[in-house]
Amino acid sequence: MTQQGSVKRLFRVSLAFWFSVGFALLPIIAGAAGLVPCGGLSHGENPCTYCDLLKLFKGIIDFLMYVIFPIATIMIIWGGIVIMTARESPEQVKRGRAIITAAVVGILIALLSWLILDTIFKVIAPNFKVANLGRPWQQLNCQ
């Protein structure tokens, strides 16, 4: 078996392993039961309010922040593997660097978007009494 063939086989096996781990942890990761904190009147729950909308956005942001870092870590490791197995191929080295760069840029975009959303929430609802946003928006407390 050639070097290229063994790398492809290793990638397939590790990809299958991580997919199986991901599917096993999916119920824990999803936690979607608490994503929408309110309901319609037909379900006997309280109607949705502005604070519930903020809670929904917070739940989505939290989920994406939990997902992006493991994915970026895997991509950085994969980029390093591509570079290490490149031998004398400058195209493979360039491809590995591009993978690592894309992962780092993705992390930066995620962190900057969180900072932008933090600023927007503080401007939109600085003194919203129901949400009690005198503290950070990620600690919502609806009454």
Side-chain angles (χ1 to χ4, degrees):
M1 184 178 276
T2 66
Q3 177 78 14
Q4 187 76 11
S6 66
V7 170
K8 286 183 180 180
R9 178 168 162 62
L10 175 66
F11 174 70
R12 288 183 187 139
V13 168
S14 63
L15 189 65
F17 171 76
W18 286 111
F19 272 128
S20 63
V21 168
F23 283 125
L25 295 176
L26 192 60
I28 296 169
I29 293 171
L35 189 60
V36 179
C38 61
L41 297 175
S42 63
H43 297 290
E45 297 177 4
N46 296 331
C48 293
T49 63
Y50 178 69
C51 185
D52 292 323
L53 180 67
L54 292 177
K55 278 187 171 181
L56 174 67
F57 287 141
K58 180 195 174 303
I60 293 170
I61 292 166
D62 287 346
F63 175 74
L64 292 176
M65 292 304 264
Y66 285 127
V67 168
I68 189 120
F69 288 106
I71 291 174
T73 303
I74 291 169
M75 293 307 295
I76 290 170
I77 291 170
W78 178 246
I81 290 171
V82 169
I83 290 172
M84 289 183 346
T85 59
R87 294 201 175 203
E88 297 176 5
S89 173
E91 294 86 22
Q92 287 292 94
V93 172
K94 192 182 289 187
R95 182 174 158 236
R97 285 183 182 167
I99 292 170
I100 293 172
T101 303
V104 171
V105 167
I107 290 174
L108 289 176
I109 288 172
L111 292 175
L112 285 174
S113 66
W114 189 92
L115 183 65
I116 291 168
L117 285 173
D118 183 48
T119 304
I120 289 172
F121 277 142
K122 286 179 180 176
V123 169
I124 288 176
N127 296 319
F128 190 59
K129 291 181 178 120
V130 174
N132 194 10
L133 287 176
R135 58 182 176 227
W137 61 270
Q138 64 271 22
Q139 297 174 359
L140 292 174
N141 183 20
C142 297
Q143 303 296 332

